[in-house]
Amino acid sequence: MKLDAKKEFKAHFGIFNIIADVFTGRRKIRDLFNTNPMDITFLALVIAVLTIGIIMMFSASYVNAWYDSSPTVDNDPYYYIKNQALFAVIGIALMIGVSFVKPDVFRQASSLIAVISLLLLVYVLINPYIIPGKEEFKRWMWVPGIGSFQPSEIAKLAIVMLLAFSMERYHKLIEEKWWMIVPYVGVVLVFCALVYAENHVSGTVLMFGIGIATIYFGGVRIHKLVYIAIIAALVVGVIVIALNAEKILEGYASQRISVWLKLLGGEDLTTEEKQGSGWQSLQSLYAIGSGGLFGLGFGNSKQKHMYIPEPQNDFVFAVVCEELGFIRAMLIILLFVLLVGRGFVIGLRAKTRYEAMLAMGISFQVGLQAALNIAVVTATIPNTGISLPFFSYGGTSLVMLLLEMGVVLAISRNGERKKKNA
């Protein structure tokens, strides 16, 4: 199969043709939008999870904000909820707006968004915005009028879009030659390497999981991915042996793994570990344990009173468990399962391979990120610093997440989906 470079470039960056057609009048703006009914079930699940998440983030954050005398927070207990609510409104508006866009526009923009994402990942390594107290991390860039922003948030969507577009375009070639999946795994590893260079281990794990899952959704049989995984594991193993694991996992990360292994084995932590790298995990487990079946009641968490560091972020689910109890926490997990499941249903009913991969890839991202966060909070896996979708504080990440939900809703407006819908 011979590929024409010029033709391929035009195909990958077809969004420029769409823009040119609109400006020249060859295409009307309304042709880019779809007014068919959206999937109300998926929308209702998104709103339900978002509403509960904002309420619980407020409960988890107001004590920390009250004691924070920094110029930014200024002892305002409503600081976090005001910001989060504002970004939620912006995100919902974007979600609804994006839901009207035809999926073909996303398809034509996939490669451009991926290129922009890669450039931003490189830029943040060269010129990072350093947050006081987190000098070793290069995850953020400063955007005037918005504030700090993590390019990896865009990268999570970009990698799904790029893989979905390319694997749809070359699916026949992939079916004929199984080794054609190697370049796609290579693309995933490039994204992962850039995110890892930011000292963002959790983001690297999430990026790898999203990428491999999207490749699988593209129709690649599982045994082929297993072959690639074995080769990748051998390569990583050689690198670890050659460079020494301590250099690959920075000191604090390796300490967290050591603490996690002790907790998993039921061993006692040293005083230094209890007050250092194991502090968050221990306080989280105390919070979950004290919540019992029915919880201490909304707002009554004790561990959020300066025990769990920044409880509005990665460990907000510990406060959820303490205040609402095991049963209600399980209901929240069920909502996440239903949300992800409905996203997969939308993907399976989509018109094209691209739309199916995009809907399932985005849905899988939400499910994987939620699962990893809950696993961290319960000390099932080492503390990786990963946020809980819709719950953890972070305005720009919430907006990006809701924008992704808008993409899934846009796919749900698919006419063929409506015909199949019982």
Side-chain angles (χ1 to χ4, degrees):
M1 181 179 178
K2 191 175 180 180
L3 301 178
D4 185 320
K6 187 176 180 180
K7 184 178 179 181
E8 291 302 311
F9 180 85
K10 287 184 177 179
H12 279 272
F13 296 94
I15 188 65
F16 293 121
N17 292 331
I18 292 178
I19 294 172
D21 287 346
V22 170
F23 273 100
T24 57
R26 289 193 297 266
R27 183 180 298 195
K28 296 180 180 179
I29 293 180
R30 66 170 178 265
D31 295 336
L32 307 180
F33 298 94
N34 187 349
T35 57
N36 289 338
M38 69 174 71
D39 191 289
I40 298 300
T41 302
F42 186 82
L43 177 64
L45 287 167
V46 170
I47 297 300
V49 176
L50 175 64
T51 302
I52 297 171
I54 290 176
I55 292 171
M56 292 312 304
M57 193 284 299
F58 170 60
S59 180
S61 67
Y62 72 84
V63 173
N64 189 49
W66 177 266
Y67 287 105
D68 190 341
S69 57
S70 65
T72 303
V73 181
D74 194 26
N75 304 111
D76 179 6
Y78 302 104
Y79 173 79
Y80 293 109
I81 185 60
K82 285 189 296 187
N83 287 339
Q84 194 79 341
L86 173 62
F87 280 106
V89 171
I90 295 171
I92 291 173
L94 282 174
M95 176 179 70
I96 299 301
V98 168
S99 75
F100 286 101
V101 179
K102 288 184 177 180
D104 187 58
V105 177
F106 304 139
R107 177 188 284 104
Q108 301 301 326
S110 295
S111 295
L112 179 61
I113 291 174
V115 170
I116 292 173
S117 174
L118 285 170
L119 291 175
L120 290 177
L121 289 175
V122 172
Y123 174 81
V124 80
L125 295 175
I126 299 172
N127 187 30
Y129 172 71
I130 302 299
I131 295 178
K134 299 180 180 181
E135 289 78 9
E136 69 274 24
F137 301 108
K138 297 180 179 180
R139 304 178 185 177
W140 298 274
M141 60 181 291
W142 184 261
V143 180
I146 296 177
S148 59
F149 176 76
Q150 293 190 52
S152 57
E153 295 295 334
I154 296 179
K156 287 186 290 189
L157 174 61
I159 194 170
V160 175
M161 295 181 73
L162 178 62
L163 291 173
F165 171 81
S166 185
M167 293 188 73
E168 179 192 51
R169 183 167 179 79
Y170 306 117
H171 73 275
K172 290 183 179 179
L173 190 59
I174 295 171
E175 290 172 358
E176 294 171 2
K177 301 176 181 180
W178 74 268
W179 51 265
M180 277 297 297
I181 65 172
V182 174
Y184 295 109
V185 176
V187 169
V188 173
L189 293 179
V190 168
F191 273 88
C192 289
L194 290 172
V195 174
Y196 178 78
E198 300 175 0
N199 198 1
H200 196 178
V201 176
S202 60
T204 306
V205 173
L206 186 60
M207 193 71 65
F208 184 78
I210 295 168
I212 296 301
T214 305
I215 292 174
Y216 174 71
F217 298 148
V220 176
R221 293 185 180 181
I222 191 68
H223 70 274
K224 294 179 181 178
L225 285 177
V226 171
Y227 297 153
I228 297 296
I230 292 173
I231 295 172
L234 291 173
V235 172
V236 171
V238 170
I239 294 174
V240 169
I241 293 172
L243 299 181
N244 190 323
E246 287 293 332
K247 293 181 180 179
I248 295 175
L249 290 175
E250 297 296 333
Y252 196 59
S254 61
Q255 290 172 17
R256 285 180 171 182
I257 293 174
S258 175
V259 166
W260 171 70
L261 289 173
K262 283 189 175 182
L263 290 173
L264 205 63
E267 300 179 37
D268 291 330
L269 303 183
T270 64
T271 302
E272 183 181 356
E273 289 172 333
K274 288 179 180 178
Q275 297 180 356
S277 55
W279 178 265
Q280 278 186 312
S281 296
L282 284 176
Q283 300 309 316
S284 177
L285 292 174
Y286 295 155
I288 295 171
S290 63
L293 284 177
F294 302 104
L296 303 179
F298 178 73
N300 293 331
S301 166
K302 297 177 181 178
Q303 296 305 118
K304 70 184 178 186
H305 287 265
M306 312 309 290
Y307 289 101
I308 299 177
E310 299 184 3
Q312 71 277 4
N313 291 333
D314 303 339
F315 281 79
V316 63
F317 193 71
V319 177
V320 171
C321 292
E322 186 179 11
E323 294 188 352
L324 302 186
F326 175 79
I327 293 176
R328 294 187 184 94
M330 288 302 296
L331 291 176
I332 291 173
I333 293 175
L334 177 60
L335 277 177
F336 272 109
V337 172
L338 292 174
L339 176 64
V340 174
R342 190 62 185 178
F344 271 74
V345 169
I346 291 171
L348 292 172
R349 292 174 173 174
K351 270 185 176 180
T352 67
R353 184 187 297 264
Y354 172 82
E355 293 173 30
M357 290 179 66
L358 188 56
M360 290 191 287
I362 290 173
S363 301
F364 179 82
Q365 173 203 322
V366 174
L368 178 62
Q369 190 167 333
L372 290 175
N373 175 271
I374 294 171
V376 167
V377 168
T378 56
T380 306
I381 62 173
N383 184 356
T384 58
I386 197 165
S387 60
L388 182 62
F390 301 106
F391 279 71
S392 295
Y393 177 74
T396 49
S397 62
L398 179 61
V399 170
M400 276 300 303
L401 186 60
L402 288 170
L403 188 148
E404 291 175 349
M405 299 301 99
V407 173
V408 178
L409 286 171
I411 295 170
S412 79
R413 294 182 187 274
N414 187 310
E416 184 175 327
R417 185 195 68 82
K418 283 296 171 185
K419 290 177 184 179
K420 291 181 180 180
N421 195 9

